[in-house]
Amino acid sequence: MECELVSQKRDMLFLFFLNITGGRSELAIKAKNLEKSFDGKKVLNDISFSVKKGEVFGYLGPNGAGKTTTVRILTGLIKPDRGEVFVCGRNVSKEPVKVREKIGILPEVSNVYPDLTAWQNLMLASQLYGLEKKVAEKRGEKLLKEFGIYGVKNSKVKTFSKGMKQKLMFCMALISEPEVIFLDEPTSGLDVASARMLREKILEMKDLGTTVFLTSHNMSEVDVLCDKVAIIKGGKIIAKDTPDGIKELVGGSVAVEVKFENGFGNGVELSKLRGKKAGDRYVIYTTDPNETICQIVEFAKKKRVRIISINTRSPSLEDAFLKILGEIV
Amino acid sequence: MKALAIAKKDVLVYYLKGPVVIFGILLPIFLFLAFWIGRHLQLNFLIAGLIAMTVFFSSTSVSPVIAPWEGQMRTLERLLTYPIDVKTVVLGDVIASSIFGILLTTIPIAIAFALGLSINPLIAIGVIISAICFSSLGLLFSAYPSNIPATVMMISALVRFPMIFISGIFIPLNKLPEFGKVLAYLSPLTYFTDISRFCLGLRTFFPVYLDFTILITYTLLFFILSVKLHERALLRRL
Ligand SMILES: Nc1ncnc2c1ncn2[C@@H]1O[C@H](COP(=O)(O)OP(=O)(O)OP(=O)(O)O)[C@@H](O)[C@H]1O
Ligand SMILES: [Mg+2]
């Protein structure tokens, strides 16, 4: 009886410890009530979110929403006016250097030294992370090969194209094998194959347990990569969910896409159907696809235009994103 | 050491930039020639002045351009997001700039030897300390957060030229008027010029130990001030 009690107590104690240690180490990033103003203009307003270890977190929003500002605060480059940030369990404002030892960063607008070679840039990065020379050289060689720029490692970076520089910056962000990596629009400026390779690399890192904080304007990319997304507008988070959850917010509607002959469409008549011109076709969001398609066919008959194609699809993350931002009705 | 990695980067990137070459190497030579030609001066007086001028101009030519260039080339954000603090960055810049100053100053010292002058080995310590001192001073010029290197060069020129004339290089301190003396006491270059004179066997204005003490005090002051000012200024360059 006594024995049982003791063992029960021990179990409870064990569970208790599991809870606190587990609870603390589960989060890679925690942002609490962040506020930031520039010249009296509020750029971030009460931003809070958390990212679990091993998650890929997408941070989306239109231009000027405050994404880069958030990344700069999370990485300790600038201090918030109010609020706190914890990365890898440490307070970023109090221990910025300790935090940065564990993270990798790909800033949005930044450059490598154009007068140094790719290899010199990469080795500088490794030295500033305090890596041993042998380790750095091995990792550096592997990374440059993976990214296909090993052949030009001894060329000065000023001879590189934008995409090549971006790849080098990526290698520099990875050289320390960080626990958390911040990528501010990593695929902007990359060609199709390189962008795909980068996405594969991100998924590979995720498999290895790296936490990824990603900003991007490419919604299909976010859809493929992210476990969670937050949408920010005017410095406020207006939605926070999984990509599928965000899509459901559009409310079970379906997108009907139609293409007319000769690219027909001064959408006046069609506007009754609330269509949006997207490239050479119209997209209409509806909860009743049957009714909508009938209307389109009627419209085409009346106007004597031929329909070249018509199809329905469930709304993409991009549709949901635009709807949430209030850019479409 | 992380500061050494930064210093190495500075050496590779900044030593051959235009303003560095012009203000660091060519200018002291022209100034010196202008000063020398047509006058009958004692050789060791001349050389002592040349050494002081070289260490001053060369040490203050690399350090002021680094921060504005980093801002303009947009390499700064990447640099500041490594696990380093501003102190390390400033220290790295001072090391790179001091090495430049020390290397260039070996030239007038070599000339002195070639001319058969004897120099007190204390000059080595003097050159090293003053190179660090003037490099830190140079960093203060770029505490004004402009990303245009020319603006910073102008600020630095406005301070450097007057300093040359009030620091006893061309006109010995005892020939300066009273207010000139007051300015001279404020200039760190005065104390190195005095050391340089001493090492070339000339009469000094202050006791040499005092020269060293004041020079070291200035060095610490400039370095700490640079760190404090750049902690703010660097972020405004982003
Ligand atoms: N250093 C600064 N000084 C003044 N205003 C700033 C500064 N940095 C950012 N801002 C302002 O803060 C707002 C948010 O900028 P931020 O760069 O975070 O946007 P973003 O979401 O990253 O946009 P983008 O998609 O274009 O990269 C903008 O209105 C911008 O003008
Ligand atoms: Mg941005």
Side-chain angles (χ1 to χ4, degrees):
Chain A
M1 172 78 181
E2 222 178 56
C3 217
E4 211 178 273
L5 246 171
V6 169
S7 96
Q8 234 176 23
K9 246 188 190 161
R10 199 195 298 137
D11 280 354
M12 270 171 62
L13 214 71
F14 175 66
L15 276 177
F16 176 64
F17 274 116
L18 198 75
N19 237 332
I20 53 168
T21 52
R24 194 179 289 164
S25 65
E26 219 183 300
L27 289 185
I29 306 171
K30 184 166 177 59
K32 256 164 61 182
N33 312 105
L34 297 184
E35 282 188 25
K36 181 78 191 171
S37 300
F38 288 115
D39 317 317
K41 191 180 137 238
K42 215 166 213 167
V43 170
L44 294 183
N45 191 355
D46 202 24
I47 298 279
S48 298
F49 60 85
S50 49
V51 182
K52 292 206 189 88
K53 274 198 172 163
E55 247 178 12
V56 179
F57 187 85
Y59 199 62
L60 319 178
N63 290 135
K67 302 181 296 295
T68 300
T69 306
T70 309
V71 172
R72 285 176 164 177
I73 290 176
L74 295 180
T75 53
L77 189 61
I78 56 178
K79 289 202 160 63
D81 301 337
R82 278 188 48 202
E84 281 183 314
V85 185
F86 293 87
V87 173
C88 301
R90 288 178 191 275
N91 187 319
V92 177
S93 307
K94 293 195 179 125
E95 305 176 284
V97 175
K98 283 244 164 63
V99 167
R100 287 194 213 126
E101 277 166 6
K102 293 178 188 274
I103 64 180
I105 301 170
L106 182 73
E108 179 186 19
V109 276
S110 192
N111 244 324
V112 284
Y113 291 100
D115 293 319
L116 299 186
T117 67
W119 186 252
Q120 284 171 333
N121 270 296
L122 192 58
M123 287 303 110
L124 172 66
S126 76
Q127 285 158 5
L128 296 179
Y129 273 110
L131 297 184
E132 256 179 64
K133 197 168 177 225
K134 282 230 175 75
V135 179
E137 285 176 350
K138 220 171 107 192
R139 282 188 201 167
E141 192 182 319
K142 185 163 163 272
L143 280 169
L144 291 183
K145 278 180 179 158
E146 265 179 24
F147 281 83
I149 48 175
Y150 188 74
V152 287
K153 76 177 171 104
N154 291 323
S155 308
K156 286 195 175 180
V157 172
K158 61 181 163 201
T159 66
F160 279 23
S161 73
K162 183 178 174 193
M164 287 158 83
K165 279 186 208 153
Q166 184 78 348
K167 288 179 191 172
L168 177 59
M169 294 278 292
F170 209 84
C171 294
M172 288 159 73
L174 290 179
I175 190 102
S176 65
E177 301 191 338
E179 288 176 30
V180 181
I181 183 159
F182 293 86
L183 306 172
D184 200 350
E185 299 187 25
T187 51
S188 83
L190 290 189
D191 64 38
V192 181
S194 306
R196 170 177 287 185
M197 188 229 123
L198 210 118
R199 286 195 286 273
E200 274 158 14
K201 187 76 199 167
I202 292 174
L203 289 175
E204 202 178 290
M205 288 187 317
K206 175 189 151 82
D207 287 340
L208 294 172
T210 312
T211 310
V212 182
F213 186 95
L214 172 82
T215 83
S216 174
H217 292 296
N218 182 336
M219 291 301 135
S220 53
E221 167 178 303
V222 170
D223 202 0
V224 180
L225 293 176
C226 297
D227 302 304
K228 278 270 182 62
V229 300
I231 297 178
I232 166 175
K233 183 186 178 186
K236 268 187 140 94
I237 291 187
I238 54 173
K240 220 177 343 186
D241 211 324
T242 59
D244 287 336
I246 296 271
K247 284 182 230 163
E248 273 166 30
L249 286 177
V250 189
S253 65
V254 173
V256 179
E257 276 183 356
V258 55
K259 185 176 174 184
F260 296 111
E261 195 179 39
N262 301 332
F264 176 88
N266 72 44
V268 187
E269 293 282 339
L270 206 62
S271 68
K272 225 170 34 196
L273 292 165
R274 298 196 307 182
K276 271 248 156 184
K277 202 161 166 66
D280 60 351
R281 59 194 68 200
Y282 282 93
V283 184
I284 298 143
Y285 298 95
T286 173
T287 44
D288 188 352
N290 175 54
E291 173 65 19
T292 305
I293 290 170
C294 287
Q295 281 174 349
I296 292 170
V297 172
E298 255 170 50
F299 168 83
K301 270 188 186 152
K302 211 167 83 192
K303 293 280 168 188
R304 296 174 177 282
V305 285
R306 283 166 59 83
I307 293 171
I308 290 180
S309 72
I310 186 163
N311 65 304
T312 64
R313 56 175 173 83
S314 46
S316 62
L317 187 61
E318 185 171 300
D319 297 328
F321 176 74
L322 290 174
K323 179 138 185 180
I324 288 168
L325 290 177
E327 312 256 315
I328 55 172
V329 239
Chain B
M1 249 253 292
K2 290 177 181 179
L4 286 181
I6 291 180
K8 186 179 163 201
K9 174 263 299 176
D10 291 341
V11 168
L12 292 171
V13 176
Y14 297 105
Y15 271 21
L16 288 179
K17 291 271 183 240
V20 173
V21 175
I22 292 168
F23 283 87
I25 302 172
L26 298 180
L27 218 77
I29 293 175
F30 287 137
L31 269 179
F32 179 73
L33 289 177
F35 168 59
W36 177 41
I37 289 168
R39 298 222 266 168
H40 301 282
L41 291 164
Q42 230 181 314
L43 195 58
N44 44 2
F45 179 85
L46 264 176
I47 294 290
L50 182 64
I51 291 174
M53 214 158 68
T54 311
V55 75
F56 179 67
F57 268 107
S58 54
S59 305
T60 47
S61 61
V62 178
S63 53
V65 296
I66 298 176
W69 269 102
E70 298 257 359
Q72 200 187 44
M73 291 193 303
R74 296 205 153 276
T75 51
L76 192 62
E77 176 156 2
R78 180 65 269 215
L79 184 67
L80 294 180
T81 44
Y82 286 116
I84 48 174
D85 49 24
V86 173
K87 200 167 60 212
T88 312
V89 176
V90 168
L91 183 61
D93 293 349
V94 167
I95 293 172
S97 172
S98 308
I99 292 173
F100 186 75
I102 294 165
L103 286 180
L104 281 186
T105 311
T106 56
I107 298 171
I109 293 177
I111 292 175
F113 277 122
L115 293 173
L117 298 172
S118 72
I119 305 181
N120 188 321
L122 211 56
I123 194 80
I125 300 172
V127 167
I128 292 169
I129 294 173
S130 51
I132 298 171
C133 182
F134 301 143
S135 298
S136 309
L137 173 67
L139 273 174
L140 289 180
F141 300 147
S142 61
Y144 174 73
S146 157
N147 277 349
I148 304 161
T151 310
V152 173
M153 292 314 296
M154 198 184 68
I155 297 173
S156 90
L158 282 178
V159 180
R160 288 154 104 199
F161 283 101
M163 272 179 75
I164 285 289
F165 292 101
I166 54 151
S167 299
I169 291 180
F170 300 128
I171 314 154
L173 285 194
N174 49 22
K175 289 188 188 149
L176 279 178
E178 270 319 300
F179 80 94
K181 271 193 192 129
V182 174
L183 289 176
Y185 293 156
L186 288 174
S187 161
L189 182 55
T190 303
Y191 304 97
F192 178 72
T193 310
D194 216 34
I195 292 172
S196 184
R197 294 259 153 76
F198 171 82
C199 292
L200 279 148
L202 293 161
R203 228 154 42 93
T204 64
F205 193 80
F206 303 102
V208 180
Y209 75 89
L210 189 65
D211 288 327
F212 272 105
T213 313
I214 294 175
L215 208 54
I216 291 170
T217 311
Y218 264 120
T219 308
L220 292 175
L221 185 76
F222 290 153
F223 185 81
I224 294 166
L225 210 59
S226 295
V227 174
K228 290 272 169 265
L229 292 176
H230 280 281
E231 269 169 1
R232 290 177 192 201
L234 283 179
L235 288 182
R236 290 209 260 145
R237 294 179 180 278
L238 292 177

